[in-house]
Amino acid sequence: DGFKKFVDKNPGTIHRLILAGGVISGQERALDEIKNMIHASDLQDKVIIKGFIEENELNKLYWDAEAIIIPAKVSMGSSGPLFHAVSYGKCVIASKVGHFLEDIEHLETGVLIDNDKWQEAFQFVADNPGKVSQMERNVAQKASTRTPSVIAGSHMAVYRLATQIPVSAV
């Protein structure tokens, strides 16, 4: 719906929305609803449904993407799509819910958006390529501080400190 509003406001846009990933068993009806919305909105040339994709295509989609869109109504833990987007140094636009509020610094490492304002997020990306590039640089910088070796080193420092504290002090 938000992408349709964006396209309606920007009829000549070259932007496309690519939906990748599979359908969880029992949610096939939701995919049918999405397909019907795309058709009813005449967005067949602007919205592409990929379904499950191979790793080489996933890599290409991430590298080519202007931004990664992660809509959610509920979020209770760090997400795979967010991890992947960050590992590619991409600007993430995510729903203003759950862990996204902690993992994304609004307009610094991504865009947090209310679920009824997605058209504003799409417009922001289209109108602000320089700001999106800056956010990507910020994401890459932040990601460099969260490598497995850095995290392991942090944990080791905590364990070393914990083993030096006398039990009576705990």
Side-chain angles (χ1 to χ4, degrees), residues 23-101:
V23 176
I24 298 170
S25 182
Q27 294 184 350
E28 295 84 1
R29 185 173 156 203
L31 178 60
D32 290 337
E33 289 176 19
I34 291 169
K35 288 178 180 178
N36 290 338
M37 281 182 71
I38 292 167
H39 184 69
S41 300
D42 196 28
L43 291 174
Q44 300 89 313
D45 62 330
K46 297 283 184 194
V47 180
I48 299 157
I49 298 177
K50 292 285 198 173
F52 281 115
I53 55 176
E54 297 294 327
E55 186 175 353
N56 62 341
E57 186 175 8
L58 178 70
N59 290 334
K60 182 170 177 19
L61 287 173
Y62 272 113
W63 286 124
D64 292 347
E66 280 186 82
I68 307 302
I69 311 301
I70 309 177
K73 289 194 179 212
V74 176
S75 178
M76 296 181 280
S78 289
S79 72
L82 179 59
F83 172 79
H84 278 106
V86 168
S87 72
Y88 284 85
K90 288 298 180 174
C91 172
V92 172
I93 302 173
S95 298
K96 199 184 290 186
V97 298
H99 77 284
F100 295 123
L101 295 167

Side-chain angles (χ1 to χ4, degrees), residues 39-168:
H39 184 69
S41 300
D42 196 28
L43 291 174
Q44 300 89 313
D45 62 330
K46 297 283 184 194
V47 180
I48 299 157
I49 298 177
K50 292 285 198 173
F52 281 115
I53 55 176
E54 297 294 327
E55 186 175 353
N56 62 341
E57 186 175 8
L58 178 70
N59 290 334
K60 182 170 177 19
L61 287 173
Y62 272 113
W63 286 124
D64 292 347
E66 280 186 82
I68 307 302
I69 311 301
I70 309 177
K73 289 194 179 212
V74 176
S75 178
M76 296 181 280
S78 289
S79 72
L82 179 59
F83 172 79
H84 278 106
V86 168
S87 72
Y88 284 85
K90 288 298 180 174
C91 172
V92 172
I93 302 173
S95 298
K96 199 184 290 186
V97 298
H99 77 284
F100 295 123
L101 295 167
E102 296 176 26
D103 290 339
I104 298 171
E105 297 169 64
H106 183 59
L107 299 182
E108 293 298 320
T109 60
V111 178
L112 294 167
I113 196 77
D114 291 320
N115 278 331
D116 61 344
K117 297 188 177 167
W118 279 96
Q119 69 279 6
E120 293 176 17
F122 292 120
Q123 194 69 55
F124 177 84
V125 170
D127 292 346
N128 297 283
K131 183 65 176 166
V132 170
S133 293
Q134 180 60 53
M135 284 188 274
E136 289 179 340
R137 288 189 293 278
N138 295 345
V139 166
Q141 173 62 36
K142 185 175 179 180
S144 71
T145 67
R146 295 182 175 187
T147 65
S149 60
V150 169
I151 292 169
S154 297
H155 284 109
M156 289 304 296
V158 169
Y159 294 136
R160 282 190 195 106
L161 179 64
T163 59
Q164 294 174 0
I165 299 172
V167 175
S168 60

